[in-house]
Amino acid sequence: MGYRSYVAVGDSFTEGLNDPLPDAPPPVPGEVVRYRGWADRVAEGLASLEPELRYANLAVRGKLIDQIVADQVPLAVEMKPDLISFCAGGNDLIRPGSDPDRMAKKVAAAVRDLRATGADVVLFTGTDPRDTPIMRRVRGRFAIFYLHVRSIADLYGCHLVDMWSMQGLRDWRAWSGDRLHMNEEGHRLVAARVLHVLGLPGEDDWRKTWPPREAVDQRAKRQEDVQWVREHFGPWIGRRLRGTSSGDGLAPKRPDLSPLPPFTS
């Protein structure tokens, strides 16, 4: 038997950046772009087994653990779904001075509340940041937090999706140009891994092996790095200095449990 209701809780990763919706029109400057993402893909897989599935996605880009716990977790508890996915911490970890031990206590309390509803809960480790020039400097902080997540999953009987071990996600072809969010292929791999962890069938295999890449042109790579700083890293630093977030004022894309619309790909 499949799940009849599923609620996704988290930040931009769970909202689905940057996996465009099928047949979506080109983005318009100044307008909020909506995305598909691994959670939508998992919901589609669940719906193929249980056509009456209802699905809510409460995730909002840019949110920190405290915000997710305060704003999204109570809603998920109130909905009392069969399945809840919870992923938080990425935005905290990249901020100076973040404390993975304190973060883990917040996660543990939230997971305890989610599991108390009787729902199955899916937790996630993040990917290994060793291939990211800026974030690899705080790789130890990431590792400590995700070891806590593994322990929390064991303690409360949760499913664990270990993205740290997913070699297919170590290739930049699974990531979008901002180097922080997965592209369509990355989200497809994560969705396949979630369904595998749940013991459910899926169309895709998360154990992706990428074909060899051509030799990297170092001059072109330096130009890409400069462009990335200008288009992505610079604006991110600007938001930190202003105390703003990309998710400020943005509502969840699926705030209520409801049936899925049809997808074409």
Side-chain angles (χ1 to χ4, degrees):
M1 295 181 62
Y3 296 101
R4 296 181 60 86
S5 53
Y6 166 41
V7 175
V9 172
D11 52 27
S12 59
F13 168 67
T14 301
E15 185 186 342
L17 275 69
N18 284 315
D19 179 10
L21 287 164
D23 302 322
V28 176
E31 290 189 0
V32 175
V33 178
R34 293 297 188 179
Y35 298 96
R36 189 179 188 181
W38 67 265
D40 285 16
R41 294 175 180 275
V42 167
E44 294 159 31
L46 298 177
S48 69
L49 302 173
E50 177 50 68
E52 301 301 319
L53 175 86
R54 295 175 301 136
Y55 165 52
N57 190 317
L58 308 179
V60 176
R61 64 195 73 173
K63 296 304 180 182
L64 303 171
I65 284 180
D66 287 348
Q67 296 169 313
I68 293 169
V69 170
D71 299 335
Q72 299 179 31
V73 169
L75 294 176
V77 169
E78 184 178 348
M79 291 178 183
K80 290 183 168 54
D82 300 329
L83 177 68
I84 302 171
S85 62
F86 178 95
C87 186
N91 292 314
D92 298 77
L93 288 168
I94 59 179
R95 282 165 167 73
S98 60
D99 183 347
D101 297 324
R102 175 191 171 279
M103 292 165 56
K105 289 181 181 179
K106 290 280 187 177
V107 170
V111 169
R112 183 176 63 243
D113 292 344
L114 295 173
R115 285 288 285 148
T117 67
D120 283 356
V121 174
V122 181
L123 301 181
F124 297 77
T125 72
T127 55
D128 188 345
R130 64 180 173 177
D131 300 317
T132 307
I134 294 175
M135 288 193 290
R136 69 185 176 199
R137 299 178 181 177
V138 291
R139 188 184 182 206
R141 185 189 303 168
F142 279 73
I144 291 171
F145 177 67
Y146 292 132
L147 280 173
H148 278 309
V149 171
R150 295 186 70 93
S151 298
I152 292 167
D154 285 343
L155 180 62
Y156 291 103
C158 303
H159 300 283
L160 180 70
V161 176
D162 183 11
M163 294 195 297
W164 195 284
S165 68
M166 292 180 66
Q167 295 301 301
L169 296 180
R170 291 196 57 203
D171 193 293
W172 284 113
R173 285 171 285 186
W175 296 81
S176 60
D178 66 9
R179 305 182 183 180
L180 291 174
H181 300 102
M182 297 172 189
N183 58 22
E184 176 182 351
E185 189 60 28
H187 281 282
R188 191 186 304 275
L189 293 176
V190 173
R193 184 70 187 271
V194 174
L195 291 173
H196 175 81
V197 166
L198 292 174
L200 300 174
E203 296 180 357
D204 300 306
D205 185 359
W206 63 269
R207 300 179 183 84
K208 183 177 181 68
T209 300
W210 293 91
R213 301 193 68 169
E214 298 180 358
V216 177
D217 184 320
Q218 293 302 318
R219 181 178 179 181
K221 185 178 184 305
R222 286 193 295 270
Q223 291 175 341
E224 289 179 3
D225 291 342
V226 171
Q227 182 178 1
W228 173 76
V229 169
R230 182 174 62 251
E231 295 183 1
H232 300 289
F233 186 65
W236 182 84
I237 290 294
R239 289 195 298 271
R240 300 290 78 72
L241 294 175
R242 294 190 300 271
T244 61
S245 167
S246 59
D248 288 347
L250 189 63
K253 65 179 183 180
R254 293 183 61 88
D256 303 305
L257 281 171
S258 59
L260 281 171
F263 287 99
T264 60
S265 65

